[in-house]
Amino acid sequence: MKDRFAIKLTGREEPVFAGAGDSILDACIAAGVPMPYNCRSGECAECRARLLGGTVEESPGADPAVFTDADRDQGRILTCLCSPTSDVELDILLRDGTAAPRIERVDAVVDRVESVSGSVIQVTLATGRPLSFRAGQYFEWGLPGIVPNRSFSAANRPGSDRIEFDIRHYPGGKVSDYVRATLRAGDKVELIGPYGHFGFTGNEHRPAICVAGGTGLAPIKAMVEDAAAAKSERTISLFYGARTQDDLYDVDRLDRWAAELPGFTYHLALSDEPEKSGWNGARGLVSDLVTDTLYDGFGAEAYLCGPPPMIDAVIPLLEDLGIEPRDIYADRFSPAKG
């Protein structure tokens, strides 16, 4: 029995090779192929492909909300959950013509751990040298005694030997409890990555509508910071939702960008703020804020990051505003499994 199989992708001359048991997606990522994907665990379905030839074995884990038996009946697979059992040929639309940043394993050192809101802990890791990644991508964290690894988006732009991460504290969560109670400056964290293809396209002339919930703000911050450093003239409108004022963080950074970047504006909404708190901003879901603020989305691109229910609520609203489905990019922050 073969222990190595060729993966042929339409539009790409050179095949990729995967070992028996390796997911097709991970094999392609390791080869630098710009695959469409974000979660790598069957929850976003962005790595969906059509199987043109060969056979695969599917691992359980596909979210039935985004990938169904109807997809399977039409010959589609999720490359993140499928391993080849023969040479295979796939039809999949690659992201762009450039190679993805190389996946690395780096022993990073904790530089800073700070609670920046009632529910968010900010951690800065020193990597010893600037790592190659794109604003919007994420890294896996390897922590002692905790499996599986957890994924967190970089919250600052590439180019520094320090990477900032925003971690929401879930009481009882293995990683967030560890970060809050145990992680200290000088500790080591294994970083693996970068992963994902969330991030601004090169369409500088098109307005960007960004919608973030909770720590979904993290990759958006990296993207805006990167655009500012590149002196981008892109118009960026950010809609940011949290539960209460106590959950808001980095608003001072948003204020600074609004003052310094001609094309940047932001809007806040709080879903569970007490009625008599003195909050003068919008109340309700961030999806309501989008509906109440936007009247026309023609020509825009949208970037959504945060809990899946938020993303699922916002997508049809944006489509109703005239944004094409192909111009809506989403990074779903799903709770860790185990």
Side-chain angles (χ1 to χ4, degrees), residues 20-105:
D22 293 340
S23 80
I24 292 172
L25 177 62
D26 281 350
C28 290
I29 293 172
V33 178
M35 295 283 282
Y37 78 98
N38 267 309
C39 72
R40 295 172 56 236
S41 56
E43 294 162 355
C44 72
E46 290 198 25
C47 69
R48 183 191 285 112
R50 187 180 298 278
L51 184 64
L52 301 179
T55 57
V56 299
E57 180 179 7
E58 181 182 348
S59 300
D63 185 340
V66 295
F67 188 81
T68 67
D69 285 339
D71 289 295
R72 297 180 181 91
D73 292 343
Q74 294 175 21
R76 299 190 183 101
I77 67 169
L78 293 182
T79 60
C80 66
L81 294 180
C82 287
S83 302
T85 54
S86 73
D87 293 343
V88 298
E89 183 176 357
L90 300 177
D91 181 22
I92 187 168
L93 182 64
L94 301 181
R95 287 291 196 192
D96 53 48
T98 61
R102 184 169 61 90
I103 306 299
E104 299 186 71
R105 288 180 176 267

Side-chain angles (χ1 to χ4, degrees), residues 207-226:
I209 297 170
C210 302
V211 185
T215 52
L217 183 63
I220 302 296
K221 288 192 305 180
M223 292 155 58
V224 174
E225 187 179 89
D226 200 45

Side-chain angles (χ1 to χ4, degrees), residues 261-320:
L261 305 179
F264 178 81
T265 57
Y266 78 92
H267 313 267
L268 302 178
L270 301 180
S271 61
D272 299 321
E273 180 68 10
E275 283 297 328
K276 297 181 180 180
S277 68
W279 170 253
N280 295 319
R283 295 173 183 268
L285 300 175
V286 72
S287 53
D288 299 329
L289 182 64
V290 170
T291 300
D292 294 342
T293 307
L294 289 178
Y295 299 97
D296 183 4
F298 286 101
E301 295 177 334
Y303 302 87
L304 319 180
C305 191
M310 180 209 81
I311 290 173
D312 293 339
V314 170
I315 286 176
L317 301 178
L318 296 176
E319 291 177 349
D320 288 345

Side-chain angles (χ1 to χ4, degrees), residues 120-143:
V120 178
I121 307 161
Q122 214 159 65
V123 180
T124 303
L125 299 181
T127 55
R129 58 181 172 80
L131 300 186
S132 177
F133 67 96
R134 295 173 180 166
Q137 288 191 296
Y138 66 88
F139 290 82
E140 287 188 355
W141 281 31
L143 294 169

